[in-house]
Amino acid sequence: MSSSDAHRFDPTILREYDIRGTIGQTLDAPDARAIGRAFAKVLSRSGGKRVAVGYDGRLSSPELELALVDGLMKSGCEVLRIGRGPTPMLYFAVWHLEADAGIMITGSHNPPDQNGFKMMLGRKPFYGEQIQEIGRIAAAGDFVNGEGSERTTPVTEAYLDKLVEAYSGNRPLKVAWDNGNGAAGEVLQALVARLPGEHFLLNETIDGTFPAHHPDPTVAENLEQLQETVRAKGCDIGIAFDGDADRIGVVDGQGRIVWADQLLILLARSVLANHPGATIISDVKASQVLFDAIAAAGGKPLMYKTGHSLIKSKMAETQSPLAGEMSGYIFFDDRWYGFDDALYVAVRTLSILASAEESFAAFRDSLPALVNTPELRFPCPESRKFEVVTEVRDRLAAAGADVDGIDGVRVNTSDGWWLLRASNTQAVLVARCEAKDDTGLGRLKEALASQLSQSGVEVPAF
Ligand SMILES: [Zn+2]
């Protein structure tokens, strides 16, 4: 241990689920090296030393990867470098190579000048307090010294084999894919070459400047190109990935967006056919339609906290074969490894559609038509955001409202429900409302706005 190696991170980069910053401002190669050294310390405490490392298509990723690998090696780690690819391929590598841990260098769906690190320890997500510990170890310079090794260990072929093996279907489909110039590029091109059907690829080349559009399929405008292609080519479905392909967005054969909580209904019915009575998990932002559909298909619906690491942990605890979030993270622990993998979700979705009697558009039309808001975001100081939620909860409890408090408040009324929760990652309050009709939605929005203003939060028209 040498305190002269001590390293301080910009305090904003150590976040709840990952480490993330702006290149050249809050994050640089020396930070990556210190992350490697501090992570190696945590790993050594658990008795491990084999770490799989991968990186996405951002311009800054190769430099961060080199520095991270150097840091891991200086602390005695055996580094398995899988190279450039999507985040789920790194998760796969941890299983496939029987590594003790994994680190993915990725800025996910964020702007090109940002980058970061998603970590796994054992086969579990590394998050929350564990990430804060990385900061404490680095600040104290409390590192292990050792002579490590590194080896280039591609897993692309093994990963592709597993994905292709997961495909089944009775009729060929026409599919449009929007890779958004993200990290899945090469893997996706190789995958569709091995799947039956006709495939139209958009933005398949990896480009860390994201010239076509922002790689975030949860924002409707980023799906426009995909919607146009689906309509023009008469596709059965359109599939989009975020920048590192751990999140998915889909559109039906008419180019209409099918949100993650709707896609989950299709997937849940299929999974429950083989796992009757299983628990299927989604977050508090998901539509009531999803939870009702899970119950109707013989499953146990479980509404849980938003946050992909939290959902993954809950899945393991309840032995749930399927979980997903509104934000497009979908996890299969049924014939897969339980991690969020948009490529695998795509393969399972195509398999269902290729054997289904009805089209994807007909499936969408069969869902109860509720009216809802998208995710609403109200700026609120970091120091106030949790207090506001507590104040709202207390007022509602005093008024005898029907409130679910698993994550923030989700209030049920005869019109439907509204949600208010504090973001784990930003100085915002997140809300959503869903009702049977527009009049009901109006009443829910009014109730939400009234609660926010009673706690002094500025509420623009929404
Ligand atoms: Zn992502």
Side-chain angles (χ1 to χ4, degrees):
M1 173 177 148
S2 147
S3 58
S4 64
D5 291 343
H7 182 96
R8 284 199 182 277
F9 298 112
D10 183 290
T12 61
I13 73 170
L14 303 172
R15 297 149 35 93
E16 180 65 19
Y17 305 120
D18 54 19
I19 296 176
R20 193 192 303 156
T22 304
I23 295 299
Q25 290 177 36
T26 59
L27 181 65
D28 58 13
D31 292 321
R33 187 171 291 105
I35 289 166
R37 299 212 69 190
F39 188 84
K41 169 86 179 191
V42 174
L43 185 57
S44 75
R45 285 178 189 156
S46 70
K49 67 173 194 170
R50 278 161 64 86
V51 188
V53 172
Y55 62 94
D56 75 6
R58 283 164 195 267
L59 305 182
S60 57
S61 292
E63 187 195 358
L64 294 181
E65 195 254 3
L66 270 180
L68 176 76
V69 170
D70 182 51
L72 289 165
M73 283 174 58
K74 278 198 169 71
S75 289
C77 287
E78 188 186 321
V79 185
L80 308 169
R81 299 170 76 179
I82 70 158
R84 188 173 73 167
T87 293
M89 189 166 84
L90 181 273
Y91 297 155
F92 170 80
V94 172
W95 288 80
H96 182 69
L97 302 171
E98 297 183 343
D100 302 313
I103 304 182
M104 180 71 192
I105 292 150
T106 177
S108 192
H109 59 281
N110 295 289
D113 62 343
Q114 296 195 18
N115 214 330
F117 304 80
K118 290 181 180 171
M119 293 157 282
M120 268 175 95
L121 182 61
R123 291 176 178 179
K124 294 189 176 142
F126 184 89
Y127 70 105
E129 196 41 43
Q130 294 173 305
I131 291 178
Q132 297 307 315
E133 178 69 359
I134 293 287
R136 286 192 290 269
I137 292 169
D142 183 15
F143 301 128
V144 181
N145 291 313
E147 205 170 307
S149 64
E150 57 91 18
R151 188 153 48 96
T152 301
T153 318
V155 297
T156 310
E157 287 309 313
Y159 179 57
L160 280 167
D161 286 347
K162 279 279 179 191
L163 288 173
V164 172
E165 202 183 294
Y167 182 81
S168 64
N170 295 332
R171 65 185 177 95
L173 298 169
K174 264 175 134 175
V175 187
W177 304 78
D178 190 346
N179 178 57
N181 300 108
E186 285 124 13
V187 173
L188 177 60
Q189 291 171 56
L191 174 66
V192 302
R194 292 175 61 179
L195 291 179
E198 225 182 315
H199 300 273
F200 304 95
L201 293 184
L202 298 170
N203 309 312
E204 68 271 30
T205 310
I206 297 176
D207 184 338
T209 65
F210 307 115
H213 56 75
H214 203 57
D216 183 355
T218 56
V219 177
E221 66 176 46
N222 296 328
L223 292 171
E224 284 169 9
Q225 207 186 345
L226 182 66
Q227 292 170 309
E228 278 163 26
T229 304
V230 163
R231 291 189 194 112
K233 305 285 185 190
C235 294
D236 297 286
I237 182 174
I239 298 171
F241 301 138
D242 81 329
D244 62 334
D246 54 0
R247 294 191 299 137
I248 192 167
V250 295
V251 304
D252 73 6
Q254 294 177 29
R256 298 173 300 182
I257 297 174
V258 177
W259 297 106
D261 55 355
Q262 298 175 311
L263 176 61
L264 273 164
I265 294 175
L266 185 85
L267 301 173
R269 285 175 182 162
S270 163
V271 167
L272 285 166
N274 293 315
H275 301 272
T279 299
I280 311 279
I281 307 171
S282 192
D283 70 331
V284 289
K285 289 185 223 164
S287 171
Q288 190 58 41
V289 173
L290 168 60
F291 298 107
D292 291 347
I294 293 167
K300 279 203 234 32
L302 176 61
M303 190 193 295
Y304 199 58
K305 297 175 193 179
T306 294
H308 79 285
S309 303
L310 301 172
I311 296 253
K312 268 193 228 185
S313 302
K314 194 69 184 175
M315 254 185 119
E317 187 192 315
T318 58
Q319 294 184 327
S320 160
L322 174 69
E325 286 190 65
M326 266 315 279
S327 54
Y329 288 110
I330 295 179
F331 315 83
F332 271 98
D333 205 358
D334 165 47
R335 290 145 49 192
W336 203 243
Y337 307 86
F339 53 71
D340 34 340
D341 184 339
L343 289 142
Y344 181 74
V345 174
V347 168
R348 286 289 291 258
T349 302
L350 294 181
S351 301
I352 294 168
L353 295 181
S355 299
E357 312 250 303
E358 61 174 12
S359 70
F360 196 31
F363 157 77
R364 187 186 181 279
D365 287 332
S366 72
L367 299 176
L370 298 186
V371 287
N372 45 41
T373 66
E375 183 177 297
L376 307 165
R377 304 170 78 79
F378 304 100
C380 178
E382 197 66 33
S383 58
R384 274 286 289 156
K385 66 181 187 184
F386 290 106
E387 281 172 14
V388 169
V389 173
T390 306
E391 289 167 16
V392 171
R393 181 184 297 137
D394 291 348
R395 280 194 296 269
L396 290 165
D402 173 6
V403 178
D404 186 317
I406 184 76
D407 183 4
V409 286
R410 179 156 157 153
V411 189
N412 300 301
T413 79
S414 55
D415 288 317
W417 58 270
W418 60 270
L419 167 80
L420 180 71
R421 60 179 292 274
S423 165
N424 287 320
T425 53
Q426 288 169 292
V428 292
L429 291 163
V430 176
R432 200 181 180 209
C433 314
E434 178 178 81
K436 295 184 193 82
D437 53 41
D438 287 324
T439 323
L441 190 67
R443 279 191 288 264
L444 295 177
K445 285 172 158 182
E446 253 170 56
L448 166 64
S450 156
Q451 287 295 338
L452 286 171
S453 38
Q454 284 179 61
S455 280
V457 177
E458 207 177 310
V459 188
F462 67 91

